Amino acid sequence: MQAILAGAVLLVCLSTPLMGGMQPPRLRSKRLTPEYSVGAPLAVGLGSWAMWVLMFPVLRVGFTGTRNTWICVALLVLCVLVARPMVRMVAPARLKGSRMLVAARAVGLCCVVAGVMTPLDAEVDKQPTAGMTVIYATTAAVLGLMRIVDHGYFPLVLLWTALWKALLAIVTGYWIHYTGGTLVPDPDDATAGTLLLAVLWWSLVGLSAGCAVAAAVRLVRWLRTGPPARPAPPGVTSWPPAVGSVWTAELTHDDNTYKERPVVVLERTPGFVRVLGITSVDKSDRPRGYLKLRLSEWEGVLKKDGWLNLEIAHVPYCDFLWRRGECPDRMWDVLCTKADVRERSAKAGPAPGFTFRHRLRSAMNAHVGRDARTVRAGADSRVRWVWTREKV
């Protein structure tokens, strides 16, 4: 009974990453919800049955002759065709159309399943339920890791996921050992139940280890160069922000405060986006630094008249919240030809929002004020740029 409970806990933990996005959006009320796939465990269960039926003859017959070789190849191709819809189901929307990537992942999944089944065929393949469980555990671990990597944008949130899965693996491993089981059974002597528990446990260990590696790699890059443009932050669409589009973003000010404001995207770089902020505060006393935006021209993008700040701000990718619309063509032409668009003044100090402390907090899907003195000043404040919608 205790072994059954341990197996059930491991199965649930392996199935959880299949069902939904691993990280919630920062503003749930205004962003789209993460991508969920509630039916994924059921689909993987049915696919596991089909893959067991196809792999059983391959493991029993083997590549022993020309005729058997062709039969095995045909069955393995069918396995890939069965694995492909499962891989596509757990992939994010931006990757579903990449046929080569989905096919390559399906081939990799079949190779991992075959590699696990081969040393266990003496015991597991004789029992359909045991064979399905082994395939399900392996498939769920591989697909869950794919989904975690595809949907895990904030690295410290991803690392936390890996840690609690590792903790659960430690607890269940101790439980299995305490009840007389073993985590490294001999396939020739162990019973099917012992093999199943060991496969479930090692699948969970592999899932947590892969998640931790992905989190560590992304965290190093995040802290060195800032939040990346890929993968997309959870809950956003039309990603990455296109040149000429208008988004709502969290703009950090020099006094270490931040506020959600509309911004016009000017240029994308590997570590941040150059934008012009929009405010509803009257700036008629500063005609050289701001442009008046009338609601009649910006209808559907703004809710009232605003003022466009002509000083360029640098915004990390993780601080973009949702897309509002497009900058009107007439205003874009003004920005490209007539407006005094300029970089941040060197006398004003460096652009806030890019210190190590902020990057560390943003890796947790959090936001804090920052001390801008630790960042070097940018280019000359009077440098002019010619912006085009095609420039990225």
Side-chain angles (χ1 to χ4, degrees):
M1 184 63 183
Q2 292 176 335
I4 294 176
L5 290 176
V9 170
L10 290 171
L11 275 176
V12 170
C13 189
L14 287 172
S15 303
T16 302
L18 297 176
M19 293 186 288
M22 298 309 300
Q23 298 176 357
R26 184 175 296 177
L27 298 177
R28 300 191 185 191
S29 61
K30 296 184 179 180
R31 282 187 175 183
L32 298 178
T33 56
E35 298 176 87
Y36 287 100
S37 182
V38 180
L42 178 61
V44 173
L46 296 176
S48 300
W49 170 260
M51 293 179 70
W52 181 87
V53 171
L54 294 172
M55 283 193 176
F56 181 80
V58 176
L59 297 175
R60 281 286 170 262
V61 176
F63 299 87
T64 55
T66 304
R67 182 171 177 271
N68 290 341
T69 298
W70 283 109
I71 293 176
C72 291
V73 170
L75 292 175
L76 291 177
V77 170
L78 291 177
C79 279
V80 174
L81 295 179
V82 171
R84 186 180 181 279
M86 292 190 291
V87 171
R88 193 173 185 275
M89 174 180 291
V90 300
R94 68 179 186 276
L95 299 181
K96 291 183 185 293
S98 180
R99 297 182 179 180
M100 294 299 296
L101 178 61
V102 172
R105 289 185 171 185
V107 172
L109 174 60
C110 291
C111 292
V112 173
V113 172
V116 173
M117 290 292 293
T118 300
L120 305 179
D121 62 341
E123 288 290 337
V124 175
D125 289 342
K126 297 176 183 178
Q127 304 181 29
T129 304
M132 282 183 56
T133 306
V134 170
I135 294 181
Y136 181 88
T138 308
T139 303
V142 175
L143 294 181
L145 181 58
M146 291 180 184
R147 191 167 183 85
I148 288 173
V149 171
D150 290 337
H151 290 78
Y153 180 74
F154 302 101
L156 286 181
V157 179
L158 193 61
L159 185 60
W160 174 251
T161 301
L163 290 178
W164 77 259
K165 288 186 180 296
L167 178 61
L168 185 58
I170 293 173
V171 172
T172 52
Y174 174 78
W175 191 0
I176 293 172
H177 181 74
Y178 179 78
T179 56
T182 177
L183 300 176
V184 190
D186 185 354
D188 297 329
D189 300 329
T191 63
T194 303
L195 290 173
L196 288 179
L197 278 179
V199 170
L200 289 171
W201 189 83
W202 282 107
S203 297
L204 180 59
V205 170
L207 179 61
S208 60
C211 184
V213 171
V217 171
R218 290 185 179 176
L219 181 61
V220 171
R221 177 186 174 190
W222 190 293
L223 296 179
R224 283 182 176 177
T225 62
R230 297 289 184 182
V236 298
T237 57
S238 304
W239 191 259
V243 173
S245 61
V246 181
W247 282 66
T248 295
E250 292 177 338
L251 283 182
T252 304
H253 305 300
D254 292 324
D255 58 355
N256 292 329
T257 61
Y258 67 94
K259 188 175 181 180
E260 298 171 19
R261 292 191 182 277
V263 297
V264 179
V265 178
L266 294 182
E267 182 184 18
R268 297 198 307 264
T269 71
F272 59 89
V273 182
R274 288 187 172 92
V275 303
L276 297 179
I278 299 175
T279 180
S280 58
V281 179
D282 186 7
K283 298 293 182 179
S284 56
D285 58 334
R286 300 174 61 182
R288 296 191 60 183
Y290 290 84
L291 285 180
K292 175 73 173 181
L293 306 180
R294 301 191 179 278
L295 181 60
S296 58
E297 186 178 12
W298 291 74
E299 189 173 358
V301 180
L302 303 179
K303 295 182 179 179
K304 52 181 157 180
D305 292 348
W307 293 84
L308 181 68
N309 189 348
L310 298 180
E311 184 177 88
I312 296 174
H314 296 174
V315 179
Y317 283 100
C318 64
D319 287 351
F320 283 84
L321 301 179
W322 67 90
R323 184 178 181 276
R324 304 175 68 106
E326 289 287 333
C327 177
D329 292 338
R330 187 196 69 82
M331 179 57 64
W332 187 258
D333 293 338
V334 171
L335 293 177
C336 294
T337 58
K338 301 179 182 179
D340 187 20
V341 178
R342 60 193 183 279
E343 289 284 351
R344 180 182 176 86
S345 172
K347 295 181 180 180
F354 290 90
T355 65
F356 179 84
R357 177 174 174 238
H358 170 64
R359 290 178 179 177
L360 185 62
R361 289 286 293 169
S362 64
M364 306 176 191
N365 194 8
H367 200 299
V368 295
R370 282 154 286 230
D371 180 3
R373 291 174 298 178
T374 60
V375 186
R376 294 181 180 179
D380 186 359
S381 61
R382 306 305 298 178
V383 173
R384 293 292 303 273
W385 296 82
V386 179
W387 306 104
T388 62
R389 289 182 187 265
E390 292 75 19
K391 187 174 183 179
V392 295

